[in-house]
Amino acid sequence: MPILIKKAKRINDLPPYLFAEIDRRKREALARGVDLIDLGIGDPDIPTPTAVVEKLIERATVPVNHRYPNSSGLPEFRQAVANWYQRRFGVKLDAGKEVVSLIGSKEGIGNMAVAYVDPGDIVLVASPCYPVYHIGTAFSGGRNYFLPLKKENQFLPDLDSIPGDIAKQAKLLWINYPNNPTAAIADRDFYKRVIDFATKNEVIVCHDAAYTEMGFDGYRPMSFLEVEGAREVGIEFHSLSKTFNMTGWRIGMAVGNADIVSGLAQAKSNLDSGIFQAIQEAGIEALKLGDSIIEPSRKIYQERRDILVSGLRAIGLDCEKPRATFYVWVATPKGLSSAEFTAKLLDEAGVVTTPGNGFGDAGEGYVRFTVCVDQQRLKEVAERIRQVSL
Ligand SMILES: *Cc1c(COP(=O)(O)O)cnc(C)c1O
């Protein structure tokens, strides 16, 4: 007799997975032999730079790397992160106290709630957003207070709209610029307002900076830590995933306030044993090479963005030309819901996109396109969508 398998309440209480319907339609279309163009996933199709791969191959054979790594990261990797922050953002970090390695930033984002959220605590999260922020809260028994990102506010959260008692009770505030899924960007002035809010209400600011290296037309997004006062209230999550086309490698970092970083490191050290050291050594190589290996991908994504955006606009779809990220956030036409438009694009055009409401209620009315396919395929997209009956 099989035993009764009962999942934890935190799993049973997970919000409905809104991408399930699109996943099902996608599988059906593939089974029918439809030539799908998949603009659904945010995962670079460009390979990791050769120098980084070669470093891994070389360092994978070294026996000292076959043993347990340190959960917080090799001192050399943490120093390489500090050097990169200094070079790229002019931010000086103490590698021993203000930097921790992550098994991809997703891991650190999830563990932030383990470290800082008690049952009943409030966490301020944008809607739409990368889902890990609010899932982490829920897994720790906290309560999410969602801040809608609206076009009229340039997809920045309106901190003044947060009721005083909520602000006072809040433990963490999650922000993410350049933003997934809206592709919005933030300036120094916004970060200053965030720091004022956090100082006044004693809230820890968690900035997810995964896309700072994917800026176009010469635009270089800033680090939250460049702003005066940020180090007193915040931690920044970063990753080699999108920057160096290394999503499969699982390597990232969190930097910032020494006490906040130390709390995260403490949670981690009880749950994981760090990143394979050879991967950290390859990561050091990537950070050292920096812009010289980032620029070629930046150029590719920028050209693809131009093709997709001009194609979509030519057929009358409403979208901004993003200044950063590999996402394009498109308003649904003719009052269609996100789900309806995504389904039409898939069924009638063989184009896979992601419904905006899958990232939160406030994403309703939008669809997210990525540019993780080559130019040839992207040129086909608008042609195909032109045929869809709207
Ligand atoms: C891709 C992505 C991540 C996750 O990156 P990893 O380092 O691969 O875990 C984090 N935040 C945002 C907003 C992302 O889009």
Side-chain angles (χ1 to χ4, degrees):
M1 272 288 279
I3 58 162
L4 178 67
I5 312 282
K6 195 159 165 275
K7 288 179 194 159
K9 190 168 174 316
R10 70 177 71 84
I11 300 296
N12 285 325
D13 287 353
L14 278 169
Y17 182 64
L18 287 170
F19 305 132
E21 173 65 11
I22 200 79
D23 287 350
R24 189 182 60 77
R25 282 174 191 255
K26 188 173 142 182
R27 277 196 308 275
E28 279 174 11
L30 285 171
R32 287 200 308 274
V34 177
D35 172 29
L36 288 181
I37 301 180
D38 195 341
L39 307 183
I41 45 165
D43 188 355
D45 57 312
I46 307 167
T48 305
T50 311
V52 180
V53 177
E54 279 171 357
K55 183 59 95 179
L56 171 66
I57 293 169
E58 177 199 322
R59 300 305 296 172
T61 60
V62 180
V64 68
N65 283 345
H66 300 165
R67 311 196 63 184
Y68 279 121
N70 176 297
S71 164
S72 288
L74 279 170
E76 295 81 359
F77 175 72
R78 295 158 84 180
Q79 190 57 54
V81 169
N83 295 346
W84 183 72
Y85 256 80
Q86 171 78 63
R87 242 171 47 235
R88 168 65 178 86
F89 301 113
V91 170
K92 214 175 166 59
L93 294 167
D94 178 337
K97 296 198 180 95
E98 296 176 320
V99 180
V100 61
S101 70
L102 301 174
I103 310 171
S105 59
K106 184 177 190 177
E107 173 266 297
I109 291 167
N111 276 325
M112 199 57 195
V114 175
Y116 289 102
V117 179
D118 280 323
D121 280 352
I122 289 180
V123 176
L124 304 170
V125 193
S127 169
C129 74
Y130 182 65
V132 188
Y133 315 138
H134 63 79
I135 302 279
T137 311
F139 276 6
S140 285
R143 290 177 289 158
N144 289 295
Y145 184 88
F146 289 101
L147 307 170
L149 303 184
K150 297 179 182 159
K151 186 176 179 188
E152 62 262 33
N153 297 329
Q154 290 76 48
F155 300 107
L156 298 170
D158 178 6
L159 300 173
D160 295 331
S161 74
I162 304 169
D165 57 323
I166 298 285
K168 279 288 168 218
Q169 288 177 68
K171 198 73 196 283
L172 307 178
L173 163 65
W174 283 100
I175 51 173
N176 160 225
Y177 293 95
N179 184 257
N180 174 12
T182 68
I185 56 173
D187 60 10
R188 186 178 292 271
D189 201 57
F190 169 71
Y191 291 133
K192 275 190 186 155
R193 279 182 275 136
V194 166
I195 292 166
D196 286 347
F197 173 86
T199 311
K200 182 165 155 236
N201 296 292
E202 306 212 294
V203 176
I204 296 173
V205 178
C206 309
H207 181 232
D208 181 350
Y211 294 97
T212 61
E213 301 321 289
M214 222 182 267
F216 307 127
D217 312 313
Y219 168 60
R220 291 289 167 270
M222 65 189 297
S223 160
F224 173 64
L225 293 172
E226 285 178 51
V227 185
E228 199 189 324
R231 203 185 302 241
E232 277 66 56
V233 298
I235 182 167
E236 181 159 272
F237 292 81
H238 217 303
S239 172
L240 277 65
S241 285
K242 314 288 165 54
T243 303
F244 297 105
N245 304 317
M246 291 174 74
T247 48
W249 295 57
R250 313 313 303 139
I251 181 164
M253 59 277 202
V255 305
N257 181 280
D259 291 328
I260 304 174
V261 166
S262 138
L264 174 59
Q266 197 178 355
K268 277 175 59 60
S269 68
N270 283 282
L271 290 167
D272 71 62
S273 301
I275 311 160
F276 180 33
Q277 285 185 178
I279 291 182
Q280 294 187 59
E281 296 190 70
I284 295 170
E285 187 69 13
L287 290 166
K288 212 157 53 181
L289 294 168
D291 244 15
S292 68
I293 53 173
I294 299 169
E295 189 53 31
S297 327
R298 208 179 266 142
K299 194 161 163 287
I300 291 170
Y301 292 128
Q302 180 174 321
E303 286 167 2
R304 291 177 177 179
R305 172 203 65 171
D306 291 343
I307 291 168
L308 182 65
V309 169
S310 58
L312 294 178
R313 283 180 172 175
I315 55 171
L317 288 170
D318 172 19
C319 59
E320 298 277 326
K321 189 182 217 176
R323 294 181 64 196
T325 79
F326 48 28
Y327 303 111
V328 181
W329 189 238
V330 182
T332 61
K334 307 228 161 82
L336 290 178
S337 70
S338 298
E340 286 164 347
F341 189 45
T342 319
K344 267 183 177 294
L345 291 175
L346 207 159
D347 295 341
E348 296 178 36
V351 174
V352 182
T353 57
T354 312
N357 62 321
F359 300 99
D361 292 345
E364 180 53 74
Y366 288 89
V367 164
R368 190 192 74 175
F369 287 64
T370 72
V371 295
C372 300
V373 302
D374 65 31
Q375 292 197 13
Q376 210 49 46
R377 297 291 273 170
L378 278 177
K379 282 179 186 152
E380 256 185 69
V381 170
E383 265 327 296
R384 286 190 183 197
I385 298 178
R386 198 194 292 277
Q387 322 291 330
V388 174
S389 61
L390 291 173

